[in-house]
């Protein structure tokens, strides 16, 4: 009991001392099974948290003590694989344990883990990984588990350059389980085959569902291959904002704000960081923005000093006296932008969801009943006001949008101006994002509605609530000069 309590408190030293006093060496006894289960829970927690050396050291000691007590038991080996694949960061040890485990107890879960181990840079046996995943699929009885293993099998085929087989596997997966991960993986396959337009389309589909580090890197690489270097830079920056080499999990949020995790070794995250930094330095070099490239090179050397490739970049880039100022600015942006971007996107997605729900409910409303429409409009205005409140009015983007609107649309009503400034600001913030732009489009449409109400005044009955109704009055009553713009107004209303 003391061992379990100390594990929960993350007091690994005390947990290990308690474990050392446990005398039963039969791993199949109820208490021993509980001890291994608590060890597994501790691993899962550590693999989800930000990487810390003291977590690794503490769990290392407990892992060694467990093997001293129970020996190379197949079940314990299988559990310990997840430790060495995650916070333990020792692929060779994970491979050794996995092989021992399946020799005594062949099962789908351990074969699946062995497949992943073989794909790590330390082992790098892609052909063997394919075989392990095939064996895992053969032994899997649970459909959900089989689905996950099949996704891993695709990765192994892809890495082994068996593109034809990989495409068949992924097309079947997408048909049965359309999701962010499968769309992203298919985009990577198409990218490697040189089908860049199709790859970009599938990458955007994946990002529309969830923005994750891997897909951002895939899309950035596609843009770079298409020589759209400015778009590539934007995506590489977003990728760098989402990850930190000191963390050993991919972490992102779904539309409901739920935390989602994908466990990976520190080395795997390092690969993503390395590729993103190389990509952005390369893209800036192609754009001949050498000061920017040099600034990111300084960040790369700081974050990943062990990589010798940075010396090659230093020799390749033109001599620049100092990029320190840009380095400081970029470093500050990377530390601040990630949380802000997540919050903004979650807000836009939430607004889109609310507007969709309102639109679905509006089909039940009676056009002749003012009260029903008043409630509908009140809820829509509530969403739109949330959007106005969410915009940072001290930001440069907002100030530029306001100056442009004030100088270009001087005669707009103040209310209509505010909607237009908000729409412009939100568009500028998210124009390269893969999101539902419905809320921003509604902001633009409300500008037209607000201004028409001011211009038409008493010609619009108080019972008319919607833009479509206003357009109907203009058409029916032949109100000039607005009848000249009916086709444009109807196009706006269609949105």
């Amino acid at each position: 009991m003391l061992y379990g309590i100390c594990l929960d408190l993350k007091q690994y030293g005390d947990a290990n001392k308690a474990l050392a006093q446990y005398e039963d060496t039969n791993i199949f006894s109820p208490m021993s099974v509980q001890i291994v289960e608590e060890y597994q829970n501790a691993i899962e927690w550590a693999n989800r948290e930000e990487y810390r050396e003291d977590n690794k050291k503490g769990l290392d000691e407990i892992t060694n003590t467990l093997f001293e007590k129970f020996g190379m038991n197949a079940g314990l080996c299988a559990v310990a694989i997840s430790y060495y694949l995650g916070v333990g960061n020792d692929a060779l040890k994970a491979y050794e344990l996995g092989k021992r485990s399946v020799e005594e107890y062949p099962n789908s879960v351990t074969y699946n883990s062995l497949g992943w181990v073989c794909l790590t840079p330390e082992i790098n046996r892609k052909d063997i990984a394919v075989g392990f995943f095939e064996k895992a699929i053969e032994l899997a009885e649970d459909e959900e588990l089989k689905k996950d293993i099949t996704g891993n099998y695709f990765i192994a085929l892809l890495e082994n350059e068996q593109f034809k087989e990989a495409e068949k596997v992924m097309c079947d997966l997408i048909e049965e389980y359309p999701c962010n991960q499968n769309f992203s993986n298919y985009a990577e396959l198409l990218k490697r085959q040189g089908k860049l337009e199709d790859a970009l389309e599938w990458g955007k589909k994946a990002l529309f569902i969830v923005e994750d580090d891997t897909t951002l890197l895939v899309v950035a690489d596609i843009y770079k291959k298409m020589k759209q270097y400015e778009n590539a830079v934007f995506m590489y920056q977003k990728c760098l904002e989402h990850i930190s080499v000191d963390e050993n999990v991919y972490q992102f949020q779904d539309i409901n704000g739920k935390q989602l995790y994908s466990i990976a070794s520190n080395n795997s995250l390092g690969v993503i960081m390395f590729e993103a930094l190389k990509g952005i330095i390369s893209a800036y070099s192609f754009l001949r923005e050498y000061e920017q490239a040099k600034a990111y090179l300084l960040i790369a050397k700081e974050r990943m000093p062990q990589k010798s490739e940075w010396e090659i970049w230093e020799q390749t880039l033109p001599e620049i006296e100092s990029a320190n100022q840009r380095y400081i600015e970029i470093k500050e942006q990377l530390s601040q932008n990630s949380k802000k971007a997540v919050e903004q996107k979650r807000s836009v997605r939430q607004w889109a969801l609310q507007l969709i729900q309102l639109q679905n409910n509006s089909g039940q409303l009676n056009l002749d009943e003012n009260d029903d429409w008043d409630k509908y409009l009140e809820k829509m205005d509530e969403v739109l006001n949330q959007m106005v409140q969410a915009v940072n009015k001290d930001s440069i983007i907002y100030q530029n949008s306001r100056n442009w609107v004030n100088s270009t649309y001087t005669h707009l009503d103040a209310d209509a101006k505010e909607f237009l400034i908000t729409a412009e600001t939100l568009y500028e913030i998210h124009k390269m994002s893969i999101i539902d732009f419905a809320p921003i489009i509604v902001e633009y449409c409300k500008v037209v509605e607000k201004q028409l109400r001011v211009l038409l005044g008493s010609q619009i009955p108080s019972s008319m609530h919607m833009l479509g109704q206003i357009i109907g009055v203009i058409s029916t009553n032949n109100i000039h000069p607005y009848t000249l713009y009916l086709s444009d107004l109807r196009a706006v209303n269609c949105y």
Side-chain angles (χ1 to χ4, degrees):
M1 287 177 65
L2 178 62
Y3 159 81
I5 291 167
C6 290
L7 272 187
D8 286 342
L9 293 170
K10 315 302 178 285
Q11 296 174 358
Y12 297 117
D14 291 336
N16 194 48
K17 287 176 186 175
L19 180 61
Q21 296 177 57
Y22 180 70
E23 294 178 353
D24 188 355
T25 58
N26 177 15
I27 197 169
F28 299 107
S29 70
M31 190 61 73
S32 297
V33 170
Q34 184 178 331
I35 282 172
V36 175
E37 286 176 350
E38 287 170 337
Y39 166 63
Q40 185 173 17
N41 292 336
I43 292 169
E44 290 174 358
W45 177 86
N47 280 339
R48 285 200 304 269
E49 290 299 300
E50 186 172 318
Y51 176 76
R52 287 174 54 187
E53 188 62 33
D54 55 345
N55 289 347
K56 179 184 184 302
K57 184 180 176 184
L59 285 169
D60 236 0
E61 292 173 354
I62 290 170
T63 303
N64 293 334
T65 303
L66 284 168
F67 278 112
E68 286 171 12
K69 285 197 175 296
F70 301 123
M72 284 294 171
N73 175 270
L76 179 57
C77 287
V79 172
I81 292 172
S82 65
Y83 168 64
Y84 286 112
L85 266 181
V87 67
N89 204 27
D90 188 340
L92 287 170
K93 190 71 175 175
Y95 182 75
E96 176 195 334
L97 294 176
K99 287 288 286 179
R100 281 177 176 271
S101 179
V102 293
E103 283 169 7
E104 186 177 337
Y105 175 51
N107 65 91
S108 58
V109 174
T110 310
Y111 272 116
N112 182 48
S113 298
L114 273 169
W116 267 121
V117 173
C118 288
L119 290 177
T120 61
E122 296 94 328
I123 307 296
N124 197 27
R125 293 298 304 273
K126 297 155 190 169
D127 53 339
I128 295 179
V130 169
F132 281 141
F133 286 128
E134 287 174 344
K135 189 68 177 175
I137 292 169
E138 178 189 326
L139 293 173
E141 296 178 358
D142 180 75
E143 282 304 312
E144 191 67 24
L145 176 60
K146 189 178 286 189
K147 176 194 75 173
D148 292 339
I149 296 171
T150 304
N152 298 340
Y153 176 50
F154 163 82
I155 297 294
L157 291 169
L158 181 67
E159 292 299 320
N160 207 37
E161 298 188 354
Q162 295 176 244
F163 295 144
K164 187 175 180 181
E165 295 89 340
E167 183 150 17
K168 183 180 184 311
V169 169
M170 184 46 63
C171 287
D172 290 344
L173 269 175
I174 286 174
E175 185 175 349
E176 200 166 352
Y177 307 106
C179 66
N180 157 271
Q181 185 179 23
N182 289 336
F183 292 170
S184 178
N185 286 340
Y186 192 42
E188 176 64 23
L189 170 64
L190 293 167
K191 183 194 83 177
R192 295 193 189 192
Q193 292 176 308
K195 302 173 183 177
L196 300 180
E197 293 288 349
D198 290 340
L200 184 60
E201 182 182 340
W202 282 98
K204 286 183 175 181
K205 284 181 181 180
L207 290 177
F208 188 84
I209 301 170
V210 177
E211 283 195 357
D212 65 290
D213 316 324
T214 307
T215 309
L216 287 167
L217 180 61
V218 170
V219 172
D221 286 343
I222 293 167
Y223 276 129
K224 187 155 78 76
K225 284 180 177 291
M226 296 172 79
K227 299 184 179 180
Q228 296 183 25
Y229 299 119
E230 290 181 352
N231 290 345
V233 162
F234 183 83
M235 287 298 177
Y236 283 127
Q237 285 172 334
K238 287 168 75 69
C239 181
L240 289 170
E241 287 164 9
H242 275 66
I243 63 175
S244 167
V245 79
D246 294 327
E247 295 179 7
N248 69 326
V249 294
Y250 305 128
Q251 179 179 323
F252 49 89
Q253 292 179 320
D254 68 7
I255 190 170
N256 299 312
K258 180 183 176 184
Q259 294 284 353
L260 303 173
Y261 299 96
S262 175
I263 296 170
S265 70
N266 297 325
N267 189 65
S268 298
L269 278 177
V271 169
I272 293 180
M273 173 72 77
F274 180 54
E275 292 299 325
L277 286 166
K278 277 201 312 182
I280 199 166
I281 293 167
S282 173
Y284 271 127
S285 298
F286 278 117
L287 289 168
R288 300 185 184 279
E289 295 184 23
Y290 299 119
E291 187 183 10
Q292 296 280 80
K294 193 83 170 185
Y296 273 99
L297 180 57
L298 291 173
I299 289 172
K301 288 178 69 177
E302 181 182 272
R303 291 196 178 185
M304 309 187 81
Q306 74 278 14
K307 296 291 185 181
S308 59
E309 285 85 350
W310 308 136
E311 294 177 12
I312 299 170
W313 279 108
E314 272 191 316
Q315 295 166 15
T316 306
L317 288 171
E319 195 66 34
I320 297 173
E321 287 186 13
S322 176
N324 284 340
Q325 184 57 40
R326 289 298 302 132
Y327 157 75
I328 293 167
E329 291 170 6
I330 290 167
K331 190 175 178 182
E332 182 65 22
Q333 286 169 4
L334 288 174
S335 67
Q336 291 182 359
N337 286 356
S338 180
K339 185 179 178 184
K340 209 179 292 181
V342 169
E343 289 173 355
Q344 286 173 344
K345 276 208 186 44
R346 194 190 314 156
S347 296
V348 173
R349 283 177 169 146
Q350 190 59 42
W351 295 330
L353 186 62
Q354 288 174 301
L355 289 173
I356 289 168
Q357 289 169 341
L358 279 174
Q359 184 171 337
N360 290 342
N361 294 339
S362 71
Q364 312 298 320
L365 297 179
N366 187 339
L367 280 169
D368 298 323
E369 302 240 356
N370 291 342
D371 288 345
D372 284 345
W373 281 102
D374 285 342
K375 289 175 186 174
Y376 174 82
L377 287 171
E378 183 183 337
K379 289 191 176 295
M380 177 177 274
D381 284 341
E382 187 180 313
V383 174
L384 296 172
N385 285 329
Q386 286 174 13
M387 295 169 69
V388 172
Q389 296 301 317
V391 171
N392 178 8
K393 294 180 172 54
D394 294 324
S395 67
I396 293 173
I397 295 176
Y398 179 85
Q399 311 251 350
N400 289 342
S401 297
R402 184 183 61 190
N403 292 340
W404 176 76
V405 169
N406 285 337
S407 62
T408 309
Y409 298 99
T410 54
H411 301 300
L412 268 186
D413 174 70
D415 206 11
K417 270 186 184 178
E418 187 57 48
F419 274 98
L420 184 53
I421 294 167
T422 300
E424 280 294 307
T425 303
L426 289 170
Y427 174 73
E428 282 301 316
I429 291 170
H430 296 291
K431 63 184 177 184
M432 283 295 293
S433 301
I434 316 298
I435 56 170
D436 188 338
F437 279 85
I440 299 173
I441 292 172
V442 171
E443 286 279 339
Y444 282 115
C445 295
K446 288 296 280 187
V447 176
V448 178
E449 181 195 317
K450 294 283 183 184
Q451 192 64 14
L452 280 174
R453 286 185 180 281
V454 171
L455 293 170
L456 293 167
S458 60
Q459 296 180 78
I460 300 295
S462 59
S463 59
M464 297 294 179
H465 295 288
M466 306 298 288
L467 179 58
Q469 293 173 304
I470 295 173
I471 293 169
V473 171
I474 292 171
S475 176
T476 303
N477 297 343
N478 199 24
I479 303 174
H480 287 282
Y482 306 106
T483 48
L484 300 174
Y485 306 103
L486 279 174
S487 61
D488 290 334
L489 290 172
R490 285 173 180 143
V492 171
N493 190 51
C494 284
Y495 281 109

